[in-house]
Amino acid sequence: MSAANGNGGPNPEKDLSASNLPGQRGDGGEEIRVQRGMFGADKGGDTSGYGGLVRSIRLPGPATRPYGGWFDEVADELEGALEEQGLVPENVIDRTVVDRGELTLHIEREYLTTVARTLRDDPALRFELCTGVSGVHYPGDKGRELHAVYHLRSITHNRLIRLEVSAPDADPHIPSLVAVYPTNDWHEREAYDFYGIVFDGHPALTRIMMPDDWQGFPQRKDYPLGGIPVEYKGAQIPAPDQRRSYS
Amino acid sequence: MSTQHASAESAASARETTEGTVYTVTGGDWDEVAETAARSDDERIIVNMGPQHPSTHGVLRLILEIDGETVTEARCGIGYLHTGIEKNLEYRTWTQGTTFVTRMDYLTPFFNETAYCLAVEKLLGIEDQVPDRASVIRVLLMELNRLSSHLVCIATGGMELGATTIMIYGFRDRELILDIYELITGLRMNHAYIRPGGLAQDLPPGAVDQIREFVKKMKKNLPEYDKLATGNPIFKARMQDVGYLDLAGCMALGATGPILRSAGLPHDLRKAQPYCGYETYDFDVPTADTCDSYGRFLIRLEEMRQSLRIVEQCLDRLQPGPVMVEDKKIAWPAQLALGPDGLGNSLDHIKKIMGTSMEALIHHFKLVTEGFRVPPGQAYAAVESPKGELGVHAVSDGGTRPFRVHFRDPSFTNLQTMAAMCEGGQVADVIVAVASIDPVMGGVDR
């Protein structure tokens, strides 16, 4: 699984001279949260002295070339194939992140279908299996709140990459990949059901898990988990989303 | 099973009350239903199979449009078992997550736990630190679990064909495996035994002997399925060429596991992208080229034999050692032991930390109530579950709780192939096709 475990990973020979090291991740990742204090508790007095601490939590930032191993091959092939179609790769691929032995391509949403079709059909890429879409809601990532994350597997070349597309909360539209990967039919319905991401071009975008008349999108961060306090051995245990959080 | 005509005349009578309109819905009289059906020249009938039907593997609703005995259109209605596990995970610590994910596909708890833990370990960057013994026990439990899952699939699949003997045999052998689970984890299902960083506790005394005993017994029992079913003409007639899905269909619809392998592609993540040290085990990936339910049945049978091989190899290479990472910021200082009331902390250990080590007590308290922090980022880990690729997409925001965990459950994806397998076939073949997909609604709906 991990590209770093030697077996067909990015560094099979472990060439450690500085110029050949795989791309170090930068600090410029999107800010998803601002943490105040040290211990996450926001109720009651914090006497620790760390109460004024403010830290911004960022996701891993874009990587620089070389990415390492087959990551560069995939990036080169994809960029070449996009250029052949008359597209400028920099406009299509927002950023490339290499983190924890995984390659993530952040794609501008209007080019998602083109990129997916290229990744599927190009003989050098051949990502023939899509494992579906996973929605993620980052309320702190302003203007890019809703993310759709796709994992594409190439059985031919035995590779796995991740595509990430974002949409603002105000305009939650992302093109559907059902025409390229029919397996995404239910997955996109699920992401719509839970996150309200509208997949344009989906043949029948309806709720799949929740009842058809359900209001709201339950897995968004602003949607409460719900639950009631429970009495246990004489003490009131609050509902899970009311308990103290240490994040 | 309820039957309703596409152009039902009166579904419900309405009555105005002070509370608003009240509709009275009744089942109706069969004679009337039959009469209405006979009056109409439209032969199209829509049959709702499930969500409570013994042959739909839990609460799966099949909506079949039938013309005579032929299914012209088939759709699935799912979501009846949606429990919001993914959402719930976001309100618990990373360690508590295993308690939830084990309940997703309740027939493959160890696969859910392992996939989740592999994703968390990848986020933490401690994949290389997981002790060998923990990995071997994970493989051991997963392969036992593959056996028990396939046994249920074959047992219930046989029962749906009317072969109750297979059902009895399958559940008889599964019981032996559940006894092993109970000995090792304290529970027959919903174990939460595999934890980020390793395992909750080591194997109890006697476990290895009991598994060896089981392997011996299972080697004797497995050929019985061959004798009962493989060459059985009725069994073959019901299964062959039913639920047909070729390789192109599998790839397009994302089907993995026995369905994909029944189309001839030997794709198995244990070989392609090994995890937990699978590259060091000796086993084969069976395939078939029939693309049908019978091929899938044969593949499952063969996979059970291969799983037994792996279990034996695991037992041979079990070396004493730790079962949790060294890192004291991740591993609980607890020493769990099986008490009279199930899983609990060892009393000796409690006595030690309460009486002699204040530091350990504070540390234990912080780790259990707060949990450990996971650096921000995302990771995808996939394992080959008995049903196919079980993928976990985990996102951390640097906190002590998962920011997002998504399970790509193979049952969910594979169930999409139902329409492609059933349309154009007979109603009775729908049962066989769905059984060969082996969907578990706990995994589909999560």
Side-chain angles (χ1 to χ4, degrees), chain B residues 97 228 407 421 429 445:
Chain B
L228 264 173
F407 265 63
M421 285 184 187
D429 292 345
D445 294 341

Side-chain angles (χ1 to χ4, degrees), chain B residues 252-312:
Chain B
L253 292 170
T256 45
I259 304 178
L260 181 60
R261 289 192 282 274
S262 76
L265 187 71
H267 174 66
D268 188 320
L269 288 175
R270 291 178 293 172
K271 291 276 189 201
Q273 302 269 324
Y275 49 91
C276 294
Y278 263 113
E279 65 274 18
T280 57
Y281 294 88
D282 190 21
F283 64 99
D284 300 323
V285 178
T287 56
D289 54 2
T290 51
C291 309
D292 62 359
S293 303
Y294 187 64
R296 284 163 216 146
F297 166 74
L298 294 181
I299 286 174
R300 291 199 174 97
L301 264 189
E302 183 54 35
E303 281 186 7
M304 291 206 286
R305 283 184 211 112
Q306 299 298 331
S307 289
L308 275 186
R309 270 177 77 186
I310 302 177
V311 167
E312 282 188 309

Side-chain angles (χ1 to χ4, degrees), chain B residues 51 80 83 93 162 270 337 377 439:
Chain B
Y80 294 95
T83 41
T93 65
R270 291 178 293 172

Side-chain angles (χ1 to χ4, degrees), chain B residues 200-254:
Chain B
Q201 56 171 341
D202 205 345
L203 293 180
V208 173
D209 295 335
Q210 185 162 343
I211 299 171
R212 279 203 197 282
E213 195 64 30
F214 162 76
V215 172
K216 220 189 306 170
K217 206 179 275 177
M218 202 59 203
K219 276 188 172 162
K220 211 168 77 225
N221 288 359
L222 265 183
E224 289 180 356
Y225 295 90
D226 263 331
K227 282 184 201 150
L228 264 173
T230 308
N232 185 326
I234 302 172
F235 203 73
K236 278 166 86 172
R238 287 296 308 275
M239 306 255 279
Q240 274 174 335
D241 299 322
V242 170
Y244 185 90
L245 192 71
D246 63 7
L247 186 56
C250 285
M251 295 310 290
L253 292 170

Side-chain angles (χ1 to χ4, degrees), chain B residues 18-334:
Chain B
T18 49
E19 306 292 315
T21 318
V22 171
Y23 296 93
T24 312
V25 187
T26 55
D29 184 35
W30 276 108
D31 292 338
E32 263 173 49
V33 173
E35 213 173 279
T36 329
R39 257 208 312 277
S40 162
D41 46 344
D42 183 7
E43 286 293 305
R44 204 174 68 113
I45 291 178
I46 294 173
V47 175
N48 257 313
M49 210 158 113
Q52 294 289 344
H53 191 270
S55 73
T56 56
H57 290 249
V59 280
L60 169 65
R61 176 180 169 215
L62 300 172
I63 306 147
L64 307 173
E65 189 185 292
I66 55 176
D67 184 6
E69 276 291 311
T70 312
V71 178
T72 50
E73 250 188 291
R75 292 290 179 271
C76 288
I78 62 170
Y80 294 95
L81 206 57
H82 176 60
T83 41
I85 291 178
E86 288 176 2
K87 175 91 174 172
N88 265 294
L89 287 177
E90 295 168 13
Y91 294 90
R92 315 291 156 129
T93 65
W94 288 93
T95 305
Q96 284 174 315
T98 43
T99 321
F100 277 85
V101 300
T102 189
R103 286 160 167 79
M104 285 186 169
D105 184 340
Y106 42 80
L107 294 185
T108 61
F110 290 117
F111 290 92
N112 303 343
E113 293 173 23
T114 308
Y116 171 77
C117 290
L118 287 176
V120 178
E121 284 156 12
K122 202 177 206 180
L123 279 172
L124 286 165
I126 56 164
E127 299 134 293
D128 301 336
Q129 299 167 32
V130 177
D132 279 345
R133 187 175 169 86
S135 288
V136 173
I137 296 175
R138 283 179 181 184
V139 171
L140 175 76
L141 288 170
M142 278 195 286
E143 292 308 322
L144 286 172
N145 201 169
R146 193 181 310 278
L147 275 157
S148 69
S149 169
H150 280 348
L151 282 170
V152 172
C153 173
I154 288 173
T156 54
M159 182 184 65
E160 285 154 18
L161 296 179
T164 39
T165 315
I166 294 186
M167 193 268 285
I168 301 287
Y169 277 38
F171 279 98
R172 174 199 66 187
D173 291 341
R174 174 173 180 260
E175 201 58 33
L176 301 173
I177 301 175
L178 294 190
D179 287 345
I180 295 173
Y181 293 166
E182 193 176 355
L183 176 69
I184 294 175
T185 72
L187 297 161
R188 290 155 54 88
M189 295 174 97
N190 308 334
H191 314 281
Y193 177 72
I194 296 166
R195 302 275 173 90
L199 307 170
Q201 56 171 341
D202 205 345
L203 293 180
V208 173
D209 295 335
Q210 185 162 343
I211 299 171
R212 279 203 197 282
E213 195 64 30
F214 162 76
V215 172
K216 220 189 306 170
K217 206 179 275 177
M218 202 59 203
K219 276 188 172 162
K220 211 168 77 225
N221 288 359
L222 265 183
E224 289 180 356
Y225 295 90
D226 263 331
K227 282 184 201 150
L228 264 173
T230 308
N232 185 326
I234 302 172
F235 203 73
K236 278 166 86 172
R238 287 296 308 275
M239 306 255 279
Q240 274 174 335
D241 299 322
V242 170
Y244 185 90
L245 192 71
D246 63 7
L247 186 56
C250 285
M251 295 310 290
L253 292 170
T256 45
I259 304 178
L260 181 60
R261 289 192 282 274
S262 76
L265 187 71
H267 174 66
D268 188 320
L269 288 175
R270 291 178 293 172
K271 291 276 189 201
Q273 302 269 324
Y275 49 91
C276 294
Y278 263 113
E279 65 274 18
T280 57
Y281 294 88
D282 190 21
F283 64 99
D284 300 323
V285 178
T287 56
D289 54 2
T290 51
C291 309
D292 62 359
S293 303
Y294 187 64
R296 284 163 216 146
F297 166 74
L298 294 181
I299 286 174
R300 291 199 174 97
L301 264 189
E302 183 54 35
E303 281 186 7
M304 291 206 286
R305 283 184 211 112
Q306 299 298 331
S307 289
L308 275 186
R309 270 177 77 186
I310 302 177
V311 167
E312 282 188 309
Q313 293 172 46
C314 288
L315 292 177
D316 291 342
R317 65 171 70 178
L318 265 182
Q319 296 294 331
V323 292
M324 195 62 171
V325 288
E326 288 286 304
D327 193 343
K328 292 291 179 211
K329 290 287 177 195
I330 293 166
W332 283 6

Side-chain angles (χ1 to χ4, degrees), chain A residues 75-139:
Chain A
D76 289 341
E77 289 292 343
L78 179 63
E79 283 172 17
L82 290 174
E83 275 164 11
E84 271 172 37
Q85 297 173 55
L87 295 167
V88 184
E90 289 76 43
N91 296 346
V92 177
I93 304 169
D94 177 39
R95 73 186 79 172
T96 307
V97 179
V98 177
D99 179 45
R100 295 170 166 102
E102 295 177 337
L103 177 70
T104 310
L105 302 169
H106 289 253
I107 308 291
E108 293 293 341
R109 57 176 165 170
E110 54 269 40
Y111 297 109
L112 176 64
T113 342
T114 320
V115 170
R117 197 176 290 279
T118 311
L119 286 169
R120 186 192 68 177
D121 293 344
D122 192 294
L125 298 166
R126 205 63 98 206
F127 287 90
E128 59 272 270
L129 189 70
C130 180
T131 65
V133 52
S134 158
V136 190
H137 185 209
Y138 295 99

